[in-house]
Amino acid sequence: MTGTVTLNPCIDRTCCIDGFTVGGMNRIISDRRDISGKGINVSLALKELGEPVLTSGFLYSGSRSLFLEGLKNSFLDYRAVEVDGYLRENIKLWDKRSDITTEVNQKGAFVPEDKVEAFISLFSSFVGTLDTVVLSGSVPEGVRRDIYRVLIERANEKGVKCILDGEGDLLLSGLEARPFLIKPNEYEFISAFAPKDGSLEEIAKRAKEIVRSGMTTMVSVTLGRRGALLTDGKDTYFASPPEMEVKCTQGAGDSVVAGFSLAMAEGKTMADMLRYGVAAASGTLMREGTEMCRKEDFMRILPQVKVKSL
């Protein structure tokens, strides 16, 4: 079974407009709200794909009923430490005309140290029941910046594979504990590891160097519309999504992680891991708001994803 950790859950409000005007009037065509957070998105995608999943994180008391009702409607099992405060709300302005999304994200409410330690204890109590655990997203104020390193160390003690999808010091600190796989997006990867340029060749070269240094077993970098790559330091694969109408880009990277997790659970090859990830992301791109891929779309798209060796 796969587990996910979401330490900074949120409500994603996705507003669709047709032509964004800076400093002018912008009328909303459609508007939806979804319970979200990167780990929750991974859980939702895995649930849609038929993979058992355990979801964990913080539960904000001021939004308790709203949050739990949303998870209940999605049939997610949530293990949480309750804290004071309210869910943050992230606004996603998707310009249909230019196909550009502008994000305005709130910070998470402050989490005191004793609640952070309580979550570490909670995580330690269930992580041994998992095969893989996904640690992803930002953390609220008060949470120690080495939190992912601490959680990866606890998972490693139980022989559980960790997928880390973070940025900045959360990513770099987490790497100190040697997760199984990291999945930054292009911006996060370039910011953290400074390849010579943003070309596919340079990114692949730098990703292989990271694996060969012993910091992780695999590196995947998602490259937006270009696709994604995956390397174990020896073999490197690249895949791009098939042509389709994109309705929203939110959650696509999280769906890649869900696809990886599913492939790992099924014992697939590394090339198939990438194929699963890109197919799951493509299925999510077809959905509005933070709505994740569906099994029927995933199965239809999967044969269309072409993986090549770099």
Side-chain angles (χ1 to χ4, degrees):
M1 182 167 67
T2 300
T4 69
V5 172
T6 307
L7 297 177
N8 209 6
C10 62
I11 299 171
D12 271 353
R13 182 183 179 189
T14 305
C15 304
C16 176
I17 58 178
D18 188 11
F20 182 68
T21 303
V22 177
M25 172 66 73
N26 294 279
R27 298 192 181 278
I28 296 174
I29 299 172
S30 62
D31 182 9
R32 61 175 291 155
R33 286 177 169 85
D34 300 285
I35 298 298
S36 190
K38 291 183 70 64
I40 289 172
N41 292 342
V42 175
S43 292
L44 290 170
L46 283 170
K47 200 74 174 179
E48 287 285 349
L49 296 174
E51 174 67 11
V53 62
L54 187 157
T55 311
S56 65
F58 291 123
L59 174 63
Y60 288 96
S61 58
S63 309
R64 192 177 195 280
S65 298
L66 171 68
F67 187 68
L68 291 180
E69 185 65 25
L71 294 178
K72 180 181 178 182
N73 291 339
S74 300
F75 304 101
L76 290 183
D77 176 19
Y78 193 65
R79 310 283 180 88
V81 170
E82 189 163 342
V83 297
D84 293 335
Y86 293 85
L87 272 177
R88 63 194 179 109
E89 183 168 300
N90 296 337
I91 300 173
K92 320 291 183 180
L93 293 173
W94 179 49
D95 183 355
K96 181 179 179 181
R97 188 178 304 174
S98 65
D99 194 21
I100 293 175
T101 300
T102 301
E103 300 188 34
V104 183
N105 293 351
Q106 284 186 327
K107 292 182 178 180
F110 181 84
V111 176
E113 183 178 355
D114 64 318
K115 297 295 185 179
V116 177
E117 294 303 316
F119 180 79
I120 293 172
S121 296
L122 174 66
F123 178 84
S124 300
S125 72
F126 68 71
V127 69
T129 67
L130 306 173
D131 301 302
T132 303
V133 63
V134 176
L135 311 171
S136 56
S138 63
V139 299
E141 293 184 11
V143 176
R144 51 195 292 180
R145 303 304 293 180
D146 67 345
I147 184 66
Y148 286 151
R149 178 184 62 77
V150 173
L151 297 180
I152 292 167
E153 288 174 346
R154 298 295 176 94
N156 287 344
E157 290 171 1
K158 302 291 185 179
V160 178
K161 292 180 177 178
C162 295
I163 298 177
L164 174 60
D165 184 8
E167 66 175 306
D169 53 356
L170 291 170
L171 171 60
L172 295 175
S173 174
L175 270 173
E176 294 176 7
R178 300 189 177 185
F180 177 75
L181 185 153
I182 63 170
K183 191 224 67 69
N185 61 30
E186 183 175 6
Y187 171 79
E188 293 163 347
F189 184 83
I190 291 173
S191 298
F193 303 111
K196 290 182 179 179
D197 56 57
S199 67
L200 180 60
E201 293 74 20
E202 283 299 323
I203 289 175
K205 178 183 177 181
R206 189 72 182 93
K208 286 189 284 188
E209 290 172 352
I210 294 165
V211 176
R212 290 169 182 169
S213 73
M215 289 188 284
T216 183
T217 303
M218 292 185 185
V219 173
S220 176
V221 185
T222 48
L223 304 165
R225 295 298 179 83
R226 287 197 285 170
L229 67 82
L230 177 66
T231 183
D232 64 357
K234 178 181 178 182
D235 298 315
T236 303
Y237 296 99
F238 173 78
S240 55
E243 291 293 326
M244 70 183 70
E245 179 188 1
V246 175
K247 293 188 176 179
C248 191
T249 59
Q250 296 305 309
D254 304 322
S255 296
V256 171
V257 173
F260 288 169
S261 301
L262 178 61
M264 289 165 61
E266 295 181 356
K268 297 295 184 180
T269 65
M270 192 168 74
D272 279 334
M273 280 179 62
L274 186 58
R275 183 175 288 107
Y276 271 47
V278 172
S282 299
T284 293
L285 290 171
M286 299 168 56
R287 300 289 163 187
E288 295 181 350
T290 314
E291 185 179 359
M292 309 307 288
C293 64
R294 294 180 182 173
K295 181 69 174 285
E296 59 267 27
D297 294 326
F298 171 79
M299 296 303 296
R300 177 176 52 81
I301 295 169
L302 189 61
Q304 302 175 40
V305 178
K306 306 302 180 186
V307 177
K308 67 178 183 180
S309 181
L310 294 180

